[in-house]
Amino acid sequence: MRLTKSTDLALRVVMSLAVIGEEESTIAKIADAMQVPYSHLAKVAAQLQRLGLVESRRGRGGGLRITAAGLRASVGGLVRRLEGEGDVVDCEGATPCPLNSSCRLRGALRRAQEAFYASLDPLTVEDLTRSPTGPVLVGLVAVNP
């Protein structure tokens, strides 16, 4: 299974915000540190805000901050919400698979997908930021003065 770039970026954003705790960082600073386009990061940050994982304050001195729910969020649950409920393969697409009614692959892929998520379920965002990852993230994400 492969995560979308948006999900990957969202995980890196919440991890970065987790290591700076109560401090805030701006979308521009995080985008620069991660070498990603500002516009892409802004969309990801908006989605994280809708999910209640980050808070955003606009204007001068504003920025992003992780919420308590964001720190405690299950990585598996977060990835499920960010990736959506779709199947690994699209058997019903524009050209439906002729094996659709008797295919064993679709079920096997669903089970594999759920096993992937289940392996991430016990981990929290806070768990992901423990050493050695946390210190590296602190060096990447500049805190507002």
Side-chain angles (χ1 to χ4, degrees):
M1 175 158 175
R2 183 180 198 130
L3 299 179
T4 62
K5 288 182 182 181
S6 292
T7 298
D8 174 49
L9 186 54
L11 290 170
R12 289 190 283 150
V13 167
V14 293
M15 288 170 59
S16 297
L17 293 173
V19 298
I20 61 173
E22 291 294 311
E23 301 295 327
E24 291 181 344
S25 188
T26 65
I27 293 173
K29 286 181 181 178
I30 297 172
D32 186 51
M34 293 186 182
Q35 299 177 347
V36 297
Y38 174 89
S39 58
H40 193 159
L41 188 73
K43 290 176 188 175
V44 167
Q47 185 177 21
L48 292 171
Q49 185 179 6
R50 282 191 300 276
L51 293 173
L53 303 173
V54 301
E55 295 172 341
S56 175
R57 222 170 29 128
R58 300 185 84 147
R60 187 178 178 125
L64 297 174
R65 178 182 12 207
I66 194 155
T67 64
L71 283 173
R72 293 188 312 268
S74 160
V75 174
L78 178 55
V79 171
R80 276 184 190 89
R81 292 186 336 201
L82 293 168
E83 289 290 315
E85 295 296 322
D87 287 329
V88 175
V89 292
D90 184 12
C91 301
E92 310 289 335
T95 321
C97 178
L99 299 175
N100 200 8
S101 63
S102 60
C103 183
R104 298 177 79 186
L105 179 60
R106 185 178 187 180
L109 290 173
R110 264 196 204 128
R111 288 187 299 279
Q113 180 181 25
E114 185 48 42
F116 172 78
Y117 290 141
S119 70
L120 295 174
D121 282 341
L123 289 171
T124 66
V125 170
E126 195 169 31
D127 293 335
L128 295 179
T129 61
R130 291 198 172 98
S131 189
T133 306
V136 173
L137 287 168
V138 168
L140 289 176
V141 182
V143 178
N144 285 339

